[in-house]
Amino acid sequence: EIDQAIREQLDRVAHTTLLGLSSPPSIELARRLAALAPGDLNRVFYSDSGSTAVEAALKIAFQYHRQKPRPEPDRTVFVALAEAYHGDTLGSVSVGGMELFHETYRPLLFPVERVPAPHCYRCSLGLSRPSCGLKCADVMEATLDRLGGRAAAMIVEPLVQGAAGMLVHPEGYLARVRRACDRVGALLIADEVAVGFGRTG
């Protein structure tokens, strides 16, 4: 069924860049995604990979604070989880936290405030109390509170950090991140490339 749909689409138009242009399938998909999105989310920005999706999200967050009705140009700091993986473009590597992939490029990257992953290898091996994720949430909240009006956004892989070793967030962690971001006026970027579209239930 998928192969047939691809063949039929090739007979119409094989490729469009979406750089100021559109096509009926991209419009139909945007309408469908907007209808499925929660709340009043009603805009779609297409990207060709996870890395560039994260890159676009970082730029959107940065630009938003400059162009909103009451601009806050001092919001330039991004907060990210330790051991995070968000892709291979410079912005996504900046917010990533895996030395194996990023150490070589450190001089090219922008600084990021890192907070502990809310579930670590020690927890998964039973070497520390399961509640340590809540302590990590305390550190995350304290970091956002300290940054206050300098925090542009926090980026997370919701519920599961994949490349870090399938680290599962403790129940309630993501809700605390949402509340902490709201409290200080920072945006929340959910990198759902690996966990979106129902993969986590």
Side-chain angles (χ1 to χ4, degrees), residues 42-62:
N42 57 15
R43 298 288 189 272
V44 173
F45 182 91
Y46 290 109
S47 187
D48 64 348
S49 73
S51 296
T52 56
V54 167
E55 196 82 19
L58 297 172
K59 290 168 68 178
I60 288 169
F62 188 84

Side-chain angles (χ1 to χ4, degrees), residues 3 9 38-39 47 57 63 78 90 94 104 107 115 127 157 166-167 186:
D3 289 351
Q9 182 58 37
S47 187
Q63 186 173 350
F78 288 87
L90 286 179
S94 292
T104 302
V115 297
L127 299 176
E157 299 161 85
M166 303 310 289
L167 304 183

